[in-house]
Amino acid sequence: MPITAMWGPCYGDPESIVGDNGTVDDVLEQTSFQHFTATQSGLEAFTSTYRGPASNYRLAKDYSYQMAVTLLTAGYDVLVCRVCPGAKASKTVDAYAPSGTKPHITFTAKYPGTFGNRLKISLTKASNGKYWNLITYVVDASGVTTAVENLIFVFDANAATDIIPHVSEVESDFIDISTDISVDTHAFDSNGSTTVVQQLSGGSDTMTSDSTASTAWESAKTLAETRYKSAGYTETSSCKYISAFDTAPTDSLVANTQKYKEWIYNAAYTVYDLLQDKLNYNPNRIISPGWDDQNICELTNSSESVQLTEVSPLHKKIMETAFTSRCATGFIDIPKSESRQYVSNDDSKKLGYAQMLSKVGTDVLTTDANAALYASHSALFAPWGSYKYVGASKAFTASPSFLALMLQRAMILNQSLQYEWALPTNRKHNLTVGKMNYKVSKHFLDIWQKLDGVSLNAITEIPELGLNVWGNSTLYDVLPATYQALANLSTRFLVNAVEDVVYKCGIAITFQYNNQQAYDKFYAGVTPTLDTMKNVGAIEDYYVTMAADINGLDQVNANTVIGKIYLVVNGVVNDIKVDLIALPPGSDLNQYKS
């Protein structure tokens, strides 16, 4: 998931990341999702990489950083990509020159963000006069200074060695250095001082604020229109979310905050594409970090819910990424502004949000054999709630997908067999969740979850179980009197787990001789996972076959191998029907026993 933070590698403004002539593609080439394991070392690596939440996270109601930390401590590995529209901190120091142009050296923070303002550098010439020593410090909020890096270099290229590099060859984890100084005999003042101590400044987590509310609001609207056009909405003026920008606020802080949020929504829309790289990434779940890019109630400063008529661009992108990635399931949050009665609605004139999601992708993937299963790669969760994130003093807004992950993890921890693709065998847990936005009654559960049509997953109070994820559905639209295993979310988890193993085993035999030895190696790689699934009751049985000519038609390229895996997947208990029959005294029960 994308996050915001005060430091770390990121997707940002091209000018800030790659220079004046930079483009979005240039930035993407330098952007990647970082993997952190659910261990103490993984948590420490995360906090040392990103250093804390963005400075404006309260104004933006953005708890993506806290969400990632909480998922890590709960036992989930996380795959995150920081997005930041801010600037890098820097400091330029002039060398002393009696006359003419003064040579200078500029120290620039390695990444954009406010953490760069905490960096302090000390540049001193060594006592032997042969090299320069650069120490980087971090000054915390209380003023305590901690040395974090010690480097040496020379300005004279002729004096550089394998041990003492030239200034252009210095590799720092905190700063970049640029200079036009080319000799090591210079000083930094008229007294001949060869020591410089400076603190960097100018780093920010946000873009430059517009001076007026109307200007910032118009910029926010332009950013939103760009995202909607990228998602395929050609007439953005008819989109309800875009229309909500018609009335601008008078507070410039509110308008600039909205501009910032629209920027990070657009950035998230862009970086999700990176996860479609099947070679480098194998996420199990793709979620939005609590970012609702269709929050009309927030734009209009109203508490009255609406009926949305368009699918969120971020939701479209999550569904696309889940479909094209190696083994991911998209977890989608119901928009906060969506009226409860239109979360699910089969009326073609007033389609519910779940029904609109189920139709995404089918119109553009008609040439793909798996297009019919597009919606089965994602699931919808509702409603929103609150949660006390790790390190937080109170509960803050939490998305349904985050709550679903936390609840599922809490339930799985109560069982001995713990696999991410396995359903919990015990639905009881000890997780403390804050207040939900609304209660999902039995009336709405019956509408939201059906044997046919589109279903979603509710987070609601269940007697004797407490707050629970009630549902096991993808967004697949089940036709009446038919069965599709992948309409079950548990089956999607199973299939994705197998796809991941298949991909890894396929890589292992790539460029080997196309013979039985390679097929046996593939078989040996996939069967342990399939055997485990069979042993825990997730599948009844399986069959794996692989050959260069699997159909016996001799029509396969000599460099191609074809495999098939057949799974007999167990269904899940969705409906329970029990007939209670009261018999008169003396009735013989043998006639009812089979």
Side-chain angles (χ1 to χ4, degrees), residues 28-48:
L28 283 175
E29 287 180 4
Q30 300 182 22
T31 304
S32 64
F33 277 78
Q34 307 290 319
H35 179 211
F36 298 93
T37 57
T39 61
Q40 183 61 35
S41 60
L43 181 59
E44 291 173 356
F46 180 91
T47 54
S48 65

Side-chain angles (χ1 to χ4, degrees), residues 124 126 131-135 150-154 163-167 169-170:
T124 306
Y131 62 86
W132 293 80
N133 183 213
L134 176 66
I135 302 176
N150 194 325
L151 303 169
I152 60 174
F153 59 83
V154 294
I163 299 174
I164 305 176
H166 183 251
V167 63
E169 300 172 324
V170 171

Side-chain angles (χ1 to χ4, degrees), residues 202-272:
S204 64
D205 297 323
T206 66
M207 70 278 283
T208 303
S209 296
D210 291 319
S211 57
T212 64
S214 58
T215 304
W217 198 249
E218 192 61 34
S219 297
K221 181 179 181 180
T222 300
L223 288 168
E225 287 175 333
T226 299
R227 184 173 68 258
Y228 271 74
K229 288 178 181 178
S230 298
Y233 296 105
T234 54
E235 297 295 332
T236 58
S237 58
S238 61
C239 297
K240 277 195 173 182
Y241 184 74
I242 302 300
S243 298
F245 279 94
D246 290 346
T247 303
T250 56
D251 189 337
S252 61
L253 181 60
V254 172
N256 278 294
T257 299
Q258 189 62 40
K259 183 178 78 166
Y260 165 78
K261 293 171 75 169
E262 297 299 336
W263 188 95
I264 64 174
Y265 297 158
N266 287 8
Y269 186 90
T270 301
V271 299
Y272 274 128

Side-chain angles (χ1 to χ4, degrees), residues 73-318:
T73 56
Y76 285 105
D77 288 5
V78 297
L79 199 60
V80 298
C81 177
R82 178 185 176 228
V83 297
C84 175
K88 297 179 180 180
S90 64
K91 190 67 178 180
T92 299
V93 179
D94 290 332
Y96 176 72
S99 61
T101 303
K102 295 180 179 180
H104 66 274
I105 181 170
T106 300
F107 303 95
T108 306
K110 196 172 188 68
Y111 308 114
T114 51
F115 179 79
N117 298 330
R118 299 182 183 180
L119 298 179
K120 186 176 183 179
I121 57 97
S122 174
L123 179 64
T124 306
K125 195 171 188 178
S127 57
N128 62 11
K130 294 183 178 180
Y131 62 86
W132 293 80
N133 183 213
L134 176 66
I135 302 176
T136 304
Y137 299 91
V138 172
V139 183
D140 66 18
S142 60
V144 176
T145 301
T146 305
V148 293
E149 190 175 61
N150 194 325
L151 303 169
I152 60 174
F153 59 83
V154 294
F155 289 101
D156 187 351
N158 295 319
T161 67
D162 291 341
I163 299 174
I164 305 176
H166 183 251
V167 63
S168 64
E169 300 172 324
V170 171
E171 294 184 1
S172 168
D173 292 331
F174 294 91
I175 60 173
D176 293 323
I177 306 171
S178 61
T179 182
D180 58 0
I181 299 173
S182 58
V183 296
D184 292 306
T185 56
H186 65 273
F188 289 100
D189 62 24
S190 59
N191 296 322
S193 174
T194 55
T195 299
V196 173
V197 178
Q198 295 286 342
Q199 188 158 346
L200 276 59
S201 62
S204 64
D205 297 323
T206 66
M207 70 278 283
T208 303
S209 296
D210 291 319
S211 57
T212 64
S214 58
T215 304
W217 198 249
E218 192 61 34
S219 297
K221 181 179 181 180
T222 300
L223 288 168
E225 287 175 333
T226 299
R227 184 173 68 258
Y228 271 74
K229 288 178 181 178
S230 298
Y233 296 105
T234 54
E235 297 295 332
T236 58
S237 58
S238 61
C239 297
K240 277 195 173 182
Y241 184 74
I242 302 300
S243 298
F245 279 94
D246 290 346
T247 303
T250 56
D251 189 337
S252 61
L253 181 60
V254 172
N256 278 294
T257 299
Q258 189 62 40
K259 183 178 78 166
Y260 165 78
K261 293 171 75 169
E262 297 299 336
W263 188 95
I264 64 174
Y265 297 158
N266 287 8
Y269 186 90
T270 301
V271 299
Y272 274 128
D273 284 336
L274 297 174
L275 294 178
Q276 298 180 28
D277 181 351
K278 296 182 180 181
L279 185 62
N280 289 302
Y281 303 110
N282 62 331
N284 299 125
R285 314 283 186 268
I286 299 175
I287 67 171
S288 167
W291 297 348
D292 182 2
D293 70 332
Q294 274 202 135
N295 195 349
I296 294 176
C297 293
E298 184 178 55
L299 291 183
T300 58
N301 196 26
S302 169
S303 59
E304 186 176 348
S305 57
V306 299
Q307 182 199 356
L308 295 173
T309 54
E310 296 86 30
V311 170
S312 152
L314 279 185
H315 291 172
K316 277 191 168 187
K317 181 58 69 173
I318 289 174

Side-chain angles (χ1 to χ4, degrees), residues 58-78:
R58 286 184 177 274
L59 280 174
K61 298 178 182 178
D62 167 28
Y63 306 105
S64 55
Y65 180 90
Q66 293 87 340
M67 185 184 295
V69 172
T70 303
L71 289 171
L72 266 175
T73 56
Y76 285 105
D77 288 5
V78 297

